[in-house]
Amino acid sequence: MFRVNDYVNIDGKEYLVSKFLGQGGMGNVFLIEDKMNDSRFALKTLQYYIPDDNNHRSLINEWEKARKIFHKNTIRYYGFHDGLSEPKTPYLLMEYANSGSLEQFLKNQNCFLDEDTCLEIFHQIINGMEAVNEVLIHRDIKPDNIFIDNGIFKIADFGLAKIAEEKTRSKTFKGWGTEPYIAPEAYRAETNTIQMDMYSIGHVFYQIATLKHAFGEQNNWEHAHLTFIPPLPNKLNSNISPKVAFVINKLIAKKPANRYKTWDCVRKDLIDSTKNVGDHKSAINNILNNKISRDLEIDKTLSKQQIQAQELQRRNDILKFQFNSEIVLPVTDFVNDFNNVSGSTAMMKSLRFQEKMI
C-alpha cells in the first residue's frame, strides 16, 4: 500500500507520493509528482489487495476500457500495474484534475447557477459521454466521478463499464453503480444501453440545476427510481427555462424508450433552447410548461399504476403464503398421517391447492 512521502518507480521514472486525494469504494487516490520535471498525475490503488478478487478485476476492467477513450472531456489513463510483480500493489496512472470533483463543486455553491453556466457544464459532459458511449456503457455516472481541471469537466472511473455492444445484464461482480443514479431498468436486470447512462446524467444535470438530487434523500432508492416523479427543475431554480427543464425531464424518463436516442439529440435540444424567440418567448414557454405538465401527469398516472400493481402482487404473495402454510401444508400432513395409519387399501390423496391459487 502506498503512503504519502513514499517514492514509486513507474516506467523508469521516480515519483513522490505527495498528497492523499480521496478514497473510493475500492481504493485510494494519491497525487504523485515527477522528481525531474514537476509533472503531476493521479495514482489510484487498491485499499486491500487480493489477486483476482472483485476489486482487482474491477481495476483491470477500468484500465482495459478507459485506455481506449481519448477526449478532452474524459480523464486520460496513462498506465497500469497489476500488482502480480514488484511493487506488490496494483495501480492506475491517470491524468490529475486540479479542481476536484463536480460533487465538491456543487457542495461549494451558495446560490443557484445561472442557465448559461449550467449549459456550459452540460455540453462538456455531453461531449465526454458521447466519446465514452462510443466505446462502452459507463454504468456509474455520478457527480463524484466527474472531475474538473482548469474549468474543463472530465468523465472518469470506468470500473463498472461494459462494452457498448455487449448484450449483457446489469449486475456484475462489482455491483450496479451508485444507488441515487441507477436507471430503473438496471433494477430489473435488463440489457445495458446508453439510455442507462443518459438517465444517470439526467440526474446529474438536475443536481447541477437545482443543487439537490431529484428525489432528495431516500431509504429505498429502487422504489424512488421506479415510481417517484420529481418537481421540474425550473420550479426550483427560476434561472432554468422550461426548454432546458424539458431536456432534463426527458433524460430521467422512467422508460428507456422515452429518453433520447443519441447524445447529439440531447445536444441539439439544448442548443435550440437558447435560440432567441423574440416576442413569442413567453407564449412558447407557456406551451412548453403545459406540455411538460401533461407529460408529468402521464408519468404520475403510470407510476401510480405501477405502485398499485406492486401492492397487488405483494398481497397475492402474502395470500399464497398464508394459504399454503395454514391450509395446504396442514391438509397434506393430515393425509400423509392418515395414509401411514390406514395402509395401502384406503389411500387418501391431497388436492393441489397451489395450482388453483391466484
Side-chain angles (χ1 to χ4, degrees):
M1 181 184 297
F2 296 112
R3 293 178 175 85
V4 174
N5 295 324
D6 283 351
Y7 284 94
V8 55
N9 190 288
I10 301 175
D11 295 332
K13 293 184 178 181
E14 195 169 41
Y15 296 87
L16 171 68
V17 180
S18 62
K19 185 179 179 180
F20 176 72
L21 296 177
Q23 184 175 15
M26 66 176 186
N28 299 321
V29 182
F30 296 90
L31 173 65
I32 64 170
E33 301 181 24
D34 190 327
K35 292 177 60 179
M36 301 301 295
N37 59 19
D38 294 328
S39 59
R40 301 191 296 175
F41 300 91
L43 190 75
K44 183 175 183 177
T45 72
L46 295 180
Q47 188 176 7
Y48 304 103
Y49 169 48
I50 301 175
D52 201 39
D53 75 344
N54 290 351
N55 290 336
H56 188 219
R57 282 181 284 146
S58 178
L59 198 73
I60 295 172
N61 185 64
E62 182 167 1
W63 165 246
E64 291 296 328
K65 303 295 188 294
R67 66 177 177 167
K68 301 173 185 177
I69 302 169
F70 301 93
H71 193 276
K72 65 178 289 188
N73 294 117
T74 64
I75 288 290
R76 181 78 181 274
Y77 285 64
Y78 295 106
F80 170 68
H81 175 65
D82 60 16
L84 300 178
S85 59
E86 291 296 334
K88 294 293 186 179
T89 300
Y91 61 76
L92 283 167
L93 186 66
M94 306 180 296
E95 175 185 3
Y96 170 62
N98 60 22
S99 300
S101 70
L102 175 61
E103 178 80 14
Q104 295 165 333
F105 172 81
L106 294 176
K107 286 181 178 178
N108 290 335
Q109 301 307 308
N110 296 318
C111 58
F112 290 129
L113 301 173
D114 60 64
E115 184 165 276
D116 287 343
T117 301
C118 290
L119 288 172
E120 172 60 29
I121 299 172
F122 291 174
H123 280 294
Q124 289 195 46
I125 293 174
I126 288 169
N127 292 341
M129 285 307 304
E130 193 170 48
V132 168
N133 285 156
E134 286 179 359
V135 177
L136 51 86
I137 311 300
H138 190 291
R139 305 197 315 159
D140 196 19
I141 292 294
K142 55 185 176 180
D144 217 25
N145 282 342
I146 299 172
F147 292 89
I148 310 168
D149 184 56
N150 294 320
I152 305 300
F153 290 76
K154 297 172 178 282
I155 313 294
D157 200 338
F158 303 95
L160 273 184
K162 279 287 185 180
I163 296 173
E165 292 79 12
E166 286 180 344
K167 302 301 182 183
T168 54
R169 298 297 178 183
S170 297
K171 278 189 176 180
T172 68
F173 54 81
K174 188 170 176 282
W176 293 0
T178 305
E179 283 192 302
Y181 304 93
I182 296 174
E185 62 270 25
Y187 288 100
R188 298 188 292 267
E190 295 177 2
T191 303
N192 294 286
T193 68
I194 68 168
Q195 279 66 41
M196 283 184 173
D197 283 347
M198 285 186 175
Y199 181 86
S200 301
I201 287 294
H203 277 284
V204 171
F205 284 2
Y206 193 105
Q207 202 163 336
I208 293 169
T210 68
L211 302 181
K212 61 184 292 186
H213 193 281
F215 301 144
E217 296 293 329
Q218 295 295 326
N219 293 321
N220 187 339
W221 282 105
E222 179 177 359
H223 181 70
H225 287 298
L226 292 174
T227 62
F228 284 13
I229 307 298
L232 290 170
N234 60 313
K235 300 298 183 184
L236 301 177
N237 179 1
S238 60
N239 297 329
I240 303 299
S241 67
K243 287 184 176 181
V244 173
F246 172 82
V247 174
I248 297 173
N249 195 58
K250 187 169 181 177
L251 284 168
I252 60 175
K254 300 297 185 190
K255 294 183 178 179
N258 292 340
R259 299 172 208 149
Y260 288 94
K261 302 301 180 186
T262 67
W263 287 110
D264 194 49
C265 292
V266 184
R267 181 186 294 111
K268 287 177 179 177
D269 269 8
L270 286 176
I271 291 173
D272 287 344
S273 73
T274 64
K275 289 181 178 178
N276 186 3
V277 292
D279 295 336
H280 303 293
K281 182 176 181 179
S282 179
I284 291 174
N285 282 344
N286 286 335
I287 292 171
L288 277 172
N289 272 324
N290 289 335
K291 183 184 187 310
I292 295 172
S293 296
R294 288 196 301 272
D295 291 344
L296 282 177
E297 287 304 317
I298 292 172
D299 286 344
K300 288 178 181 177
T301 300
L302 291 173
S303 177
K304 184 177 180 181
Q305 291 173 349
Q306 187 166 4
I307 292 172
Q308 290 173 340
Q310 289 174 344
E311 178 62 18
L312 180 61
Q313 182 62 49
R314 186 185 70 85
R315 292 180 180 181
N316 282 341
D317 289 342
I318 292 173
L319 285 174
K320 287 180 182 180
F321 174 79
Q322 291 177 333
F323 186 82
N324 189 59
S325 61
E326 296 177 14
I327 298 178
V328 175
L329 291 180
V331 169
T332 301
D333 289 342
F334 172 79
V335 169
N336 290 336
D337 290 342
F338 177 85
N339 289 337
N340 288 333
V341 173
S342 64
S344 59
T345 57
M347 295 291 289
M348 182 185 295
K349 293 182 179 179
S350 62
L351 297 175
R352 294 187 177 274
F353 292 106
Q354 298 97 322
E355 295 178 1
K356 299 179 182 296
M357 283 296 294
I358 296 173

